Amino acid sequence: MNGLNMKFGWRDNFMDGLRPVRELENFSEINGVRAEIDAQGLKHKELNDLLFHLVKKGAREISIKNVFGQRYIGSRIFLPDAQDKVKIDVYNFPGNDLGVFLGGHYINVHGNAQDGVGNTMDSGQIVVHGRAGDVAAMSMRGGKVFIRDNVGYRTAIHMKEYKDKVPVLVIGGTAQDFFGEYMAGGKVILLGLNLKKDEYHKAHYIGTGMHGGVIYLRGNVEEHQLGKEVGVRQLDDSDWEVVTKYVKEYCGHFDVSEQEILAGKFQKLLPVSSRPYGNIYAY
């Protein structure tokens, strides 16, 4: 405990009293490549310590039950063989930064997720059978994220591409303000499936500061809802190939009609400059 905590009697509810992995094994069962964790009563570091411990013992299909706010799930799983993948099913409600820095693994969330889903994700896939909070896919540089319902503010902020990696984010519902803010790369598809007929998307300042990548938006949006750094274009054949491919994947995860979605009105948002604030830099 540091001096500040000693003076005021504060406790770190996340890090105080952490138990070693040997005491946490009672929260898990492993049978070959399959394992299960009961996360009730585990702090987020304990849960991630136990998760990585099971992976080192050979588990590759892991179910985590009773998750209520534990953070950073899946973030520390690095395996020497890049082809060696782990599939994680998360039940209930993971905390912030689910899959942060995810390196090629697969996470299914059977419930809602909080802020920062896929933060700086490198590769792999996250599927959320519910909604997600703010800054989903922040700085994501590879892999795919599918979210069934709505997302919060600043989704896809500073998403980027890296060499041959192109991140993909598909959202079934709508988004809050600053959607796609400062995007530098990647593909984002916003479907608006829970909007009523002729209802407009919720977000304002869409694509503010955007200087790379593309947003495909299904449904209606007013011009004043867009950032001044984006322009609106019609989809060409190559765009429809992209949209069709990822809408089909979305439908495969959530059992909805591909034909009904693709029959909707789509528009493409592109940056009008690769350096929108260049005139205010000193170099």
Side-chain angles (χ1 to χ4, degrees), residues 10 60 100 115:
W10 292 345
R60 294 295 181 268
V100 56
D115 300 338

Side-chain angles (χ1 to χ4, degrees), residues 99-268:
V100 56
F101 306 125
L102 188 69
H105 306 293
Y106 302 90
I107 300 177
N108 278 313
V109 179
H110 301 269
N112 297 330
Q114 296 185 2
D115 300 338
V117 172
N119 179 1
T120 325
M121 176 176 168
D122 183 69
S123 57
Q125 180 171 280
I126 298 175
V127 178
V128 178
H129 294 256
R131 70 176 302 278
D134 298 341
V135 294
M138 175 172 64
S139 297
M140 180 184 175
R141 65 179 185 181
K144 295 182 282 191
V145 174
F146 296 89
I147 297 171
R148 189 190 66 190
D149 301 330
N150 293 341
V151 291
Y153 294 86
R154 290 195 154 91
T155 294
I157 181 172
H158 212 264
M159 178 185 277
K160 63 196 75 173
E161 299 179 16
Y162 178 71
K163 295 185 176 179
D164 62 341
K165 294 182 178 179
V166 180
V168 175
L169 170 65
V170 184
I171 300 153
T174 190
Q176 295 291 343
D177 294 349
F178 295 102
F179 181 68
E181 187 183 23
Y182 302 126
M183 265 185 69
K187 303 181 190 303
V188 175
I189 303 175
L190 185 66
L191 296 175
L193 300 180
N194 54 1
L195 296 176
K196 298 175 183 176
K197 185 180 179 183
D198 299 327
E199 183 180 3
Y200 284 69
H201 280 279
K202 308 295 185 186
H204 289 77
Y205 313 108
I206 298 172
T208 294
M210 184 176 175
H211 51 286
V214 58
I215 297 173
Y216 297 105
L217 191 149
R218 178 181 179 274
N220 299 311
V221 63
E222 297 273 15
E223 185 176 351
H224 68 79
Q225 294 179 256
L226 305 179
K228 62 182 180 181
E229 294 82 8
V230 296
V232 180
R233 302 287 186 274
Q234 298 298 312
L235 277 66
D236 59 24
D237 290 344
S238 62
D239 293 314
W240 278 113
E241 286 184 16
V242 171
V243 170
T244 300
K245 175 182 177 180
Y246 293 115
V247 164
K248 187 173 183 178
E249 288 192 40
Y250 175 91
C251 294
H253 292 303
F254 303 119
D255 193 25
V256 291
S257 169
E258 173 188 342
Q259 290 74 21
E260 185 176 331
I261 294 174
L262 293 175
K265 170 190 171 187
F266 280 84
Q267 50 194 316
K268 177 171 63 173

Side-chain angles (χ1 to χ4, degrees), residues 35-108:
E36 182 173 312
I37 297 173
D38 184 349
Q40 187 162 5
L42 293 180
K43 298 180 179 182
H44 63 76
K45 186 176 186 306
E46 291 177 331
L47 173 55
N48 283 292
D49 286 348
L50 181 57
L51 179 61
F52 191 44
H53 175 71
L54 294 174
V55 170
K56 288 195 292 184
K57 293 181 71 172
R60 294 295 181 268
E61 297 177 19
I62 303 173
S63 294
I64 309 176
K65 305 291 179 61
N66 297 318
V67 176
F68 293 103
Q70 287 96 334
R71 302 176 180 181
Y72 318 126
I73 293 174
S75 62
R76 291 164 45 199
I77 303 174
F78 294 98
L79 298 173
D81 181 356
Q83 304 305 313
D84 194 2
K85 306 300 182 188
V86 179
K87 180 177 180 292
I88 302 169
D89 282 284
V90 178
Y91 291 86
N92 302 105
F93 312 111
N96 293 349
D97 288 323
L98 172 83
V100 56
F101 306 125
L102 188 69
H105 306 293
Y106 302 90
I107 300 177
N108 278 313

